[in-house]
Amino acid sequence: QFVDRFRKMNSFKSPSLNSKKQIKSYLERLYPADLVVLWGYDQGYQKSKKIRKELAKKKDDLILSKTIRENVDEKIDISEEQCRQFYHKNANKYYNPATFKIQEILVKNKKDADNVYAMALKKQNFNSLVKKYNTRVSTKKKSGILGYINRNQYGGIGETAAGMKVGEISRPVKIGRGYSVFKVLDIRPGKEKIFEQVQNQIKVELRKTLREKREKEWLTGLRKKIPVLIYEANLKNAIG
């Protein structure tokens, strides 16, 4: 066993074994599991019903895995042309959504939010309001800038921003335990992702779809070759 394993080793990883002492030291470090297994065989553990049953199950699992792999997985071949056709038919799925640059004032209650909103509408400097009233810890040192977010981020902030224009200030929006008043600083329009960006993703999606189809077709043919017979008397005895 040792010689076989040593020959299969990568030459860069194989240890330097130039003496009996080095070989003995290496074996003592490498093969405690092998020694235990050999001792188990010596004790006759391989003859126990439990181990034989588990080995049989493992054998069935290996056969199942190999059969599925050779008759289903390895029969699926997806070309770049197939991926491109799928992309053109489903281009709306592969889309970078619009994003909005947000400057926010987060306060604890509705009364404070209404007060901040009223001051903002009176053209008070929004940066000054942010500095004085914003309670969001992560943006306190960033002038309240959340950065670019899409309509699905930050709860109602993203959803509300999706209906606003650059320069607009939102009405108070309920966020968790607080309220947010924010200004839209910039909008980046959404755009389709190019094919190269999503080619691998499409391949995964196609493989899943084709695998399900291939497996269904193969099992249908298999059932015709190996019909399922129901012995009612045996079934009745088994389930009472």
Side-chain angles (χ1 to χ4, degrees):
Q1 282 188 342
F2 165 72
V3 173
D4 288 340
R5 291 191 188 187
F6 191 79
R7 284 173 176 169
K8 292 176 182 178
M9 280 186 181
N10 185 306
S11 58
F12 294 103
K13 294 182 179 180
S14 59
S16 177
L17 303 176
N18 299 316
S19 67
K20 289 183 179 180
K21 185 177 180 180
Q22 287 180 324
I23 294 173
K24 183 179 179 182
S25 175
Y26 179 72
L27 287 172
E28 287 175 346
R29 285 185 286 109
L30 188 63
Y31 292 113
D34 289 340
L35 291 173
V36 173
V37 169
L38 287 172
W39 185 84
Y41 271 105
D42 188 58
Q43 300 301 304
Y45 292 158
Q46 74 278 12
K47 298 176 183 178
S48 75
K49 290 182 179 180
K50 183 178 180 180
I51 287 181
R52 290 207 304 270
K53 186 177 180 180
E54 289 179 358
L55 286 173
K57 183 181 183 305
K58 184 171 288 189
K59 182 179 178 180
D60 288 346
D61 289 342
L62 289 171
I63 291 173
L64 173 65
S65 177
K66 182 176 176 60
T67 304
I68 292 293
R69 185 172 64 253
E70 291 188 356
N71 291 278
V72 177
D73 297 330
E74 292 179 3
K75 299 294 182 180
I76 300 170
D77 184 28
I78 301 171
S79 67
E80 181 178 324
E81 182 59 31
Q82 284 177 289
C83 291
R84 286 189 179 277
Q85 289 177 5
F86 187 88
Y87 169 76
H88 290 304
K89 288 180 181 179
N90 302 276
N92 61 323
K93 287 177 58 178
Y94 308 106
Y95 193 80
N96 284 316
T99 55
F100 314 91
K101 188 176 183 180
I102 303 299
Q103 185 179 28
E104 179 205 32
I105 301 170
L106 180 68
V107 294
K108 294 181 179 179
N109 55 62
K110 181 70 160 58
K111 182 180 178 180
D112 289 345
D114 288 337
N115 183 42
V116 167
Y117 180 64
M119 288 188 286
L121 289 184
K122 291 178 181 178
K123 306 300 181 182
Q124 288 199 31
N125 185 279
F126 201 78
N127 287 326
S128 297
L129 293 174
V130 170
K131 187 175 181 180
K132 185 174 181 179
Y133 295 103
N134 181 37
T135 62
R136 191 184 289 275
V137 176
S138 62
T139 62
K140 267 187 170 295
K141 295 181 180 180
K142 302 177 183 178
S143 298
I145 303 294
L146 285 177
Y148 284 90
I149 67 172
N150 64 46
R151 70 182 304 154
N152 298 316
Q153 293 178 297
Y154 286 91
I157 295 178
E159 189 66 33
T160 303
M164 296 172 63
K165 297 177 181 178
V166 173
E168 275 194 83
I169 295 171
S170 74
R171 290 180 176 277
V173 177
K174 184 76 171 69
I175 300 294
R177 296 181 180 179
Y179 286 82
S180 176
V181 176
F182 62 88
K183 185 177 183 179
V184 177
L185 301 179
D186 186 33
I187 296 176
R188 290 175 178 171
K191 61 179 180 179
E192 290 183 359
K193 295 179 181 179
I194 61 173
F195 172 72
E196 286 72 19
Q197 287 179 294
V198 296
Q199 183 176 358
N200 290 336
Q201 180 183 344
I202 289 173
K203 199 166 186 178
V204 169
E205 292 176 15
L206 273 177
R207 176 168 289 280
K208 181 181 178 182
T209 300
L210 294 175
R211 188 187 188 284
E212 289 173 355
K213 181 181 178 183
R214 169 61 187 169
E215 185 175 36
K216 185 177 180 180
E217 291 173 347
W218 180 66
L219 288 174
T220 298
L222 197 60
R223 289 189 180 99
K224 291 179 180 178
K225 295 179 181 179
I226 309 174
V228 176
L229 301 177
I230 300 176
Y231 296 92
E232 294 186 9
N234 293 344
L235 183 62
K236 186 176 180 180
N237 291 333
I239 64 176

